[in-house]
């Protein structure tokens, strides 16, 4: 029985997890770096332990310190959130060795799905559609070029140890290939210590559609519908929505069944996300599986009424899933905007600092997940996400209207944010008409650049 959980994370996701634990009557332990001593997650937890200096490598990534904190406080389990150690198989394994429950899948599954080329191979074997490309990593640039010439350009070079767009290269013709391949290999080696690369045919004007999965330790599994995460800037998601625009019930059922098949194939347990690329003709292809709670999980909670973090904890506590697929109803439409402390006018450079004024909107169907507060000092050390503004309404048009209102009402002073940029995105006629694909943000940015220079 899980009675106490250590949250091995910070910021809004740590607060989110603490709230779920509080509602379940589970005690919480926060870990924090010296610069986070006044952070909200520290204030809200039942207990807290300082685990080191500001730099993540000296604190939030220090496995021994986090495990020691869990053992000293008598925690039964560790929730990793996302980022940091959430997809680190070694950490999951060490938790197991310390007789601590890791709230997530097994180390073996994290490792298998963390190797994106291995994941592809597993899905090919299971008969799940993947993007045409190599079954295994390519060993040399020349071999890769031969494959790409055969596939036809453009192609995507991807890092086996990558994911989320890291170490990806789009190659438009054979002349570019060798240089792009070597650059990608070097980047992958530097970023992941693993330079294996694989090749996929590039799917132009695609959409990024991901399905939320819950599976317990007894083989019971459901999907909670899909999220459209196509609106990204440099592979950082900006706006996510559920359900995806223009997905028919038949296509949703088919892709949902495929996502369940992918999870069953690898004997997945806990919450996970199966990512697909959807092309212009509504053909879908598996691209990767994320073995953690996603930043954007809240919009799925808003359209289904299911608390994914609570379900994670129950599954980790060896409870049976008490949700049947026929119980999962997608009601209305939800949209999330990620508010980052950054300067859109200065190439989105980070903008840490003191929050001198803050007004958070509210109202029916408005949810704001954040850890900032008035007079909070946003540190420069971590990623720039400071709040997730989420709205829910009966349909997409009403949700967009509500989101525009919420973005207009949101006030923060003392730091710069991307709120105005997001406002321009959701107000754009293309967004309102569902003309969304993975090129949406870059196209809008060049439109804005054109306007400012002309
Ligand atoms: C792709 C793709 C098109 N074709 N793979 C982006 C990160 C990771 N989730 C996989 N991603 C993509 N993989 C093939 N073969 C399009 C994306 C993609 C994307 C690409 C460029 C710019 C923005 C994007 C947003 C979502 C998905």
């Amino acid at each position: 029985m899980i009675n106490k959980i250590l949250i091995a994370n910070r910021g809004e996701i740590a607060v989110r997890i603490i709230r779920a634990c509080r509602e379940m009557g589970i005690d919480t332990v926060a870990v924090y770096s010296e610069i986070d001593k006044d952070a909200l997650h520290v204030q809200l937890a039942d207990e807290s332990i300082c685990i080191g200096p500001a730099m993540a490598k000296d604190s939030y990534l220090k496995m021994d310190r986090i495990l020691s904190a869990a053992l000293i406080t008598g925690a039964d389990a560790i929730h990793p959130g996302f980022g940091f150690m959430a997809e680190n198989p070694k950490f999951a394994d060490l938790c197991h060795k310390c007789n601590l429950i890791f709230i997530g899948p097994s180390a073996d599954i994290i490792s298998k799905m963390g190797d994106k080329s291995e994941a592809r191979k597993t899905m090919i074997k299971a008969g799940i559609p993947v993007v045409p490309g190599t079954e295994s990593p390519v060993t040399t640039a020349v071999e890769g070029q031969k494959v790409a010439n055969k596939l036809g350009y453009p192609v995507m070079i991807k890092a086996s140890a990558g994911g989320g767009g890291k170490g990806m290269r789009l190659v438009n013709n054979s002349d570019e290939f060798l240089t792009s391949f070597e650059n990608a290999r070097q980047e992958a080696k530097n970023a992941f210590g693993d330079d294996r690369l694989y090749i996929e045919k590039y799917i132009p004007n695609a959409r990024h559609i991901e399905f939320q999965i819950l599976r317990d330790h007894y083989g019971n599994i459901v999907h909670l519908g899909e999220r459209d995460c196509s609106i990204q800037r440099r592979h950082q998601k900006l706006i996510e929505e559920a359900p995806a625009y223009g997905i028919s019930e038949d296509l949703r059922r088919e892709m949902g069944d495929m996502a369940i098949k992918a999870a069953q194939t690898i004997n997945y347990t806990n919450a996970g996300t199966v990512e697909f690329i959807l092309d212009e003709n509504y053909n879908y292809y598996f691209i990767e599986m994320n073995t953690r709670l996603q930043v954007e999980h809240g919009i799925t909670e808003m359209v289904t009424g299911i608390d994914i973090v609570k379900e994670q904890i129950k599954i980790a506590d060896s409870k049976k899933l008490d949700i049947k697929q026929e119980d999962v109803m997608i009601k209305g439409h939800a949209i999330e905007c990620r508010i980052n402390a950054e300067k859109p006018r200065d190439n989105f450079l980070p903008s840490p600092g003191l929050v001198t004024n803050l007004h958070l909107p509210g109202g029916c169907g408005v949810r704001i997940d954040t850890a900032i507060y008035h007079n909070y000092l946003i540190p420069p050390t971590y990623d720039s996400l400071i709040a997730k503004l989420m709205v829910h309404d009966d349909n997409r048009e009403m949700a967009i209207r509500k989101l525009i209102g919420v973005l207009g009402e949101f006030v923060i002073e003392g730091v710069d944010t991307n709120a105005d940029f997001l406002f321009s995105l959701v107000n754009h006629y293309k967004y309102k008409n569902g003309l969304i694909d993975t090129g949406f943000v870059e196209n809008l940015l060049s439109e804005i650049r054109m306007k400012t220079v002309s």
Side-chain angles (χ1 to χ4, degrees):
M1 178 73 182
I2 294 178
N3 296 303
K4 184 182 283 192
I5 293 175
L6 180 143
I7 294 90
N9 217 300
R10 63 178 300 281
E12 61 87 14
I13 196 59
V15 168
R16 160 72 184 102
I17 296 164
I18 288 169
R19 286 173 175 156
C21 294
R22 190 171 61 195
E23 291 170 21
M24 296 173 82
I26 294 173
D27 291 336
T28 51
V29 180
V31 289
Y32 63 95
S33 66
E34 289 154 8
I35 202 166
D36 273 345
K37 64 180 175 44
D38 299 323
L40 186 58
H41 75 286
V42 177
Q43 299 175 42
L44 294 181
D46 299 302
E47 296 173 72
S48 58
I49 292 197
C50 183
I51 51 171
M55 294 292 285
K57 68 177 178 61
D58 300 323
S59 49
Y60 296 105
L61 293 173
K62 275 278 192 200
M63 293 189 219
D64 54 342
R65 294 181 182 201
I66 290 170
L67 293 166
S68 303
L71 296 172
I72 290 165
T73 55
D76 310 293
I78 293 182
H79 197 306
F82 47 68
F84 296 133
M85 286 220 287
E87 294 185 292
N88 183 325
K90 188 162 173 254
F91 182 67
D93 186 45
L94 283 174
C95 287
H96 183 67
K97 287 193 167 79
C98 294
N99 203 21
L100 291 161
I101 295 170
F102 176 83
I103 299 177
S106 66
D108 183 47
I109 285 175
I110 295 172
S111 178
K112 279 207 176 83
M113 292 298 107
D115 181 331
K116 303 306 174 186
S117 45
E118 187 65 30
R120 249 175 80 83
K121 193 185 274 186
T122 304
M123 298 308 162
I124 290 168
K125 271 191 204 139
I128 287 157
V130 299
V131 184
T134 56
E135 278 219 9
S136 307
V138 289
T139 44
T140 67
V142 172
E143 180 204 336
Q145 190 179 42
K146 280 191 188 121
V147 166
N149 291 348
K150 220 166 139 194
L151 273 174
Y153 293 90
V155 297
M156 273 277 196
I157 298 173
K158 292 187 174 181
S160 295
K166 292 192 203 87
M168 255 170 52
R169 283 291 186 293
L170 175 58
V171 184
N172 290 304
N173 56 62
S174 189
D175 295 343
E176 289 173 15
F177 188 90
L178 297 178
T179 311
S180 295
F181 188 89
E182 288 312 331
N183 291 342
R185 193 209 296 267
Q186 196 53 54
E187 184 181 318
K189 193 166 184 60
N190 296 343
F192 318 116
D194 175 348
D195 66 356
R196 290 174 303 136
L197 302 172
Y198 61 100
I199 317 280
E200 288 180 350
K201 181 115 184 88
Y202 177 66
I203 309 292
N205 311 317
R207 289 170 67 191
H208 170 127
I209 308 291
E210 59 185 36
F211 275 76
Q212 181 67 59
I213 291 287
L214 286 174
R215 187 165 184 273
D216 66 16
H217 291 277
Y218 312 96
N220 303 304
I221 184 168
V222 291
H223 74 76
L224 304 182
E226 81 284 358
R227 298 181 287 258
D228 185 329
C229 303
S230 307
I231 298 190
Q232 305 184 14
R233 179 181 169 272
R234 294 189 184 172
H235 303 299
Q236 292 302 313
K237 296 168 183 172
L238 283 175
I239 299 174
E240 304 102 336
E241 57 183 289
Y245 179 83
I247 301 279
S248 69
E249 273 312 310
D250 286 352
L251 181 57
R252 173 169 298 111
R253 189 176 308 108
E254 202 182 312
M255 290 177 79
D257 290 348
M258 205 52 86
I260 284 177
K261 186 175 173 185
Q264 297 277 41
T265 300
I266 58 171
N267 197 21
Y268 194 84
T269 54
N270 213 278
T273 296
V274 181
E275 274 188 18
F276 296 100
I277 282 292
L278 185 70
D279 74 11
E280 291 170 299
N281 304 314
Y282 291 90
N283 300 306
Y284 56 89
Y285 308 93
F286 168 89
I287 44 172
E288 52 191 88
M289 179 161 194
N290 301 320
T291 57
R292 67 178 187 277
L293 179 67
Q294 305 259 143
V295 172
E296 60 271 20
H297 74 277
I299 55 173
T300 298
E301 295 180 325
M302 291 182 101
V303 294
T304 62
I306 293 167
D307 184 318
I308 295 169
V309 174
K310 288 185 183 175
E311 293 306 323
Q312 282 192 292
I313 294 168
K314 291 190 288 187
I315 290 171
D317 206 5
S318 303
K319 298 227 172 47
K320 275 193 172 183
L321 205 55
D322 54 8
I323 309 162
K324 296 271 177 284
Q325 194 62 56
E326 53 270 25
D327 303 333
V328 177
M329 304 303 217
I330 311 292
K331 195 173 174 303
H333 199 94
I335 308 173
E336 173 180 272
C337 274
R338 296 191 192 195
I339 304 291
N340 299 325
E342 58 189 14
K343 303 175 186 169
R345 288 187 170 75
D346 196 358
N347 199 26
F348 294 88
L349 285 176
S351 172
L354 185 70
V355 178
T356 54
N357 187 19
L358 179 67
H359 168 69
L360 296 175
C364 196
V366 176
R367 168 176 164 179
I368 296 178
D369 283 14
T370 186
I372 66 171
Y373 52 84
H374 185 231
N375 283 336
Y376 174 64
L377 185 62
I378 298 172
T381 330
Y382 310 108
D383 75 39
S384 59
L385 177 68
I386 55 171
K388 298 178 320 197
L389 303 190
M390 291 173 257
V391 296
H392 176 268
D393 215 317
D394 293 347
N395 57 53
R396 187 170 190 269
E397 188 184 347
M398 294 171 76
I400 291 174
R401 189 181 307 150
K402 184 172 285 184
L403 181 57
I404 288 169
V406 163
L407 278 167
E409 188 184 340
F410 174 63
V411 174
I412 182 167
E413 288 164 6
V415 296
D416 290 306
T417 73
N418 62 342
D420 289 346
F421 177 63
L422 292 168
F423 189 88
S424 63
L425 284 181
V426 295
N427 257 305
H428 197 283
Y429 80 92
K430 281 189 175 176
Y431 181 75
K432 288 180 174 176
N433 290 292
L435 301 173
I436 301 169
D437 66 27
T438 55
F440 180 85
V441 173
E442 291 311 323
N443 295 338
L444 182 70
L445 282 170
S446 39
E447 208 180 284
I448 295 171
R449 274 192 287 273
M450 292 299 284
K451 278 187 189 146
T452 45
V453 298
S454 57

